Amino acid sequence: MRVPPGLTEKDFSQALRQLQEAIGKEWVFSSDEDTDLYRDAYSPFWHEPEEPVASAAVAPDGVEQIQKILRIANDYKIPLWTISTGKNLAYGGAAPLLSGSVVLDLKRMNQILEVNEPNAYALVEPGVSYFDLYRYIQDRALKVWIDPPDPGWGSPIGNSLERGGGRTPMRDHWANHCGMEVVLANGDVVRTGMGALPDAKTWQQYPYGFGPYVDGMFSQSNFGVVTKMGVWLMPQPEAYREITVSVPRHDDLIPFVDTLSYLLNSGITQGTILLDSPLLNYRVAQGGQMLDLPGGPSVAEMERIGRDKNLAYWGCTLHFYGAAKIVDAQWEHTQERFSAIPGATFRDGKSYRFPLQMKEGDGIPRVAFGVPDLSVFGLLQGSSGHIGFSPIIPMSGEAVFESLKVFGQVYAEMNVQPKNQFFALPWSYFPRSFVLLFGFPIEHDVAKNRRTREVFKRLAQAGAEHGWGEYRTHIAFMDTVANTYSFNNHALRRFHETLKDALDPNGVLSPGKSGIWPRRLRREHT
Ligand SMILES: Cc1cc2nc3c(=O)[nH]c(=O)nc-3n(C[C@H](O)[C@H](O)[C@H](O)COP(=O)(O)OP(=O)(O)OC[C@H]3O[C@@H](n4cnc5c(N)ncnc54)[C@H](O)[C@@H]3O)c2cc1C
């Protein structure tokens, strides 16, 4: 029998009986067969004793049952690990950070409480997936879009709390949440923003309410259990267009990113953009690397290859969503702006009017048009999964050059070949910054995974030394990453710990999440 740390088998059996009485026998899972379903399918600890596993899982049907679970967890000091749909692959899946935790699985709380078309918002519970919300909207022919991440089986609540990203103009999911209901560790139910006003009429329309704005405290955190959240939707646009812009030389990246940044910050181009490099892709296809490894070809050599093969050094596809006339004007203005870079070339891209009729194999990029799907997993065939290293860097050409060099240097020092280079160029998931998404392959090979973990830690450290922090991380690296956010001798961690001790004195909610440990477990972990 797996038991939570610090509990005897006898006490845990007694606690499980109380949990069964509280929420029903069939919703308390404690057999290995059941709890194995909560293992991280992409665990970097495969076949190692350090792989964190749940001792049990509980699936309440609502706030009242959550309160009962919390009462029992507080009595026995049982660590709970909250998940919404538990599809956090690449960052830990449904597995707890602290082995022996009981997973608090909110999948059964799956009501779509409201979708408001004129004001473009929804109010959902944690178990609602992007597929559920999409279907609900389609069934009622509402003219609003959701913004799913690449895999659509996750949840607006789980993904937004992790501050995940999608592809449409609503891609920054945390920025597009509005109002929450949260159960605190002591069972108290708090509504944030306008939700604190009884009978509030604008809970999902105006985020701030009155007084300190506390929503952020519940994202990437272990201060509460979120049971409802508002999600802003996008009015269905009339049209979409795109344009691919390319520039020939290495140093063109600086004006290129400045122009891109201006267009994004002005709202002229929208959605997530991936910086591309036809020339670096060619280097990869020839067995080279995307990152700048010492001893690699010089810039002059690369530019010569570019001229010979007619390959641009840099490029990207920009997206425009909205009224057809405005989209055309944005498309034209984008060309004008990039034309200031000598040698810039343009290729007109896809163009659509909505609503779209979609068919299997039509090549329409579903996620970019608010349609959840799972095709991203098709790209990963033959892999046993990956974990994400995802630092935020400035949105500037200089920062891209530096990051390619700095992370290339780490690989060289550690004498490993980067295998994740397709993600080494940045994405614009969030405003005013780039995020790099390195995907480290996970294998059923202990030695290789150990090496991957070492490389990950060294990359995180090298990033931090250059002022680049991770936006989100796998449960295996939460302490590593939290340690890099160390301004003023870890003042932020002290602040988090002060809040944790006040809100959750028994330390029952998700111990270790984002490097925040409750007092009773702190000494051994930080
Ligand atoms: C191939 C691939 C592509 C991916 N692409 C993307 C992408 O495009 N964008 C992206 O953002 N991610 C992406 N991911 C990462 C991940 O799969 C998604 O972010 C996914 O949506 C997260 O799972 P979930 O929504 O089920 O959240 P959950 O697993 O339910 O929750 C995530 C975490 O949030 C916290 N949490 C969840 N619910 C609550 C709650 N109710 N109260 C308090 N805390 C809570 C917990 O700490 C939990 O571990 C990708 C992963 C893979 C493997």
Side-chain angles (χ1 to χ4, degrees), residues 82 84-89 149-151 155 159 164-165 226 380 472 513:
T82 311
S84 286
T85 37
K87 298 287 193 283
N88 203 14
L89 288 170
D150 279 354
S155 49
N159 185 279
V226 177
L380 304 172
R472 166 185 188 184
K513 175 79 186 175

Side-chain angles (χ1 to χ4, degrees), residues 17-294:
R17 274 195 298 278
Q18 291 183 15
L19 287 166
Q20 289 171 350
E21 275 162 34
I23 68 169
K25 209 171 172 184
E26 66 274 41
W27 301 114
V28 178
F29 309 106
S30 58
S31 70
D32 287 358
E33 198 186 5
D34 282 337
T35 49
D36 277 356
L37 296 174
Y38 293 92
R39 284 172 73 178
D40 177 11
Y42 292 2
S43 175
F45 289 105
W46 271 126
H47 314 297
E48 290 184 74
E50 290 87 350
E51 184 199 339
V53 284
S55 56
V58 287
D61 68 359
V63 167
E64 246 177 67
Q65 290 197 351
I66 292 176
Q67 290 169 316
K68 287 181 184 168
I69 293 167
L70 283 167
R71 221 168 289 138
I72 298 163
N74 273 295
D75 284 349
Y76 288 89
K77 295 199 170 53
I78 295 174
L80 301 169
W81 180 262
T82 311
I83 58 166
S84 286
T85 37
K87 298 287 193 283
N88 203 14
L89 288 170
Y91 298 99
L97 185 152
L98 180 66
S99 207
S101 297
V102 172
V103 175
L104 178 59
D105 180 347
L106 305 180
K107 261 191 230 90
R108 285 175 73 209
M109 297 173 62
N110 58 2
Q111 299 294 306
I112 296 170
L113 300 161
E114 186 184 0
V115 175
N116 183 303
E117 188 182 41
N119 287 136
Y121 68 79
L123 178 63
V124 295
E125 291 189 331
V128 172
S129 72
Y130 286 98
F131 281 113
D132 296 333
L133 188 53
Y134 176 75
R135 265 184 231 120
Y136 180 102
I137 290 169
Q138 293 304 304
D139 288 350
R140 288 157 184 78
L142 303 175
K143 291 191 174 50
V144 280
W145 282 13
I146 63 167
D147 182 285
D150 279 354
W153 59 3
S155 49
I157 291 193
N159 185 279
S160 305
L161 291 180
E162 281 290 89
R163 303 200 283 261
R167 300 215 173 216
T168 79
M170 310 295 280
R171 65 198 189 280
D172 178 351
H173 293 167
W174 177 251
N176 287 304
H177 96 284
C178 186
M180 296 193 293
E181 179 183 89
V182 188
V183 185
L184 302 180
N186 66 3
D188 212 1
V189 181
V190 172
R191 289 188 173 179
T192 66
M194 299 309 277
L197 197 72
D199 295 325
K201 299 290 184 284
T202 54
W203 189 16
Q204 274 62 63
Q205 284 125 296
Y206 178 73
Y208 309 121
F210 182 74
Y213 176 63
V214 297
D215 286 45
M217 271 177 50
F218 300 105
S219 69
Q220 292 192 1
S221 98
N222 51 12
F223 298 150
V225 177
V226 177
T227 47
K228 290 185 181 67
M229 193 184 80
V231 184
W232 280 350
L233 306 170
M234 179 166 133
Q236 177 184 287
E238 192 179 69
Y240 168 88
R241 274 189 87 171
E242 62 187 31
I243 190 168
T244 301
V245 186
S246 305
V247 289
R249 288 166 301 267
H250 177 267
D251 290 356
D252 290 338
L253 187 64
I254 290 167
F256 185 85
V257 175
D258 286 349
T259 308
L260 176 64
S261 178
Y262 166 83
L263 292 167
L264 279 165
N265 293 338
S266 312
I268 292 167
T269 181
Q270 313 102 356
T272 297
I273 286 159
L274 168 64
L275 180 69
D276 192 15
S277 171
L279 198 46
L280 291 180
N281 283 329
Y282 174 78
R283 186 160 93 186
V284 171
Q286 299 300 304
Q289 299 291 344
M290 181 80 72
L291 294 170
D292 257 344
L293 297 183

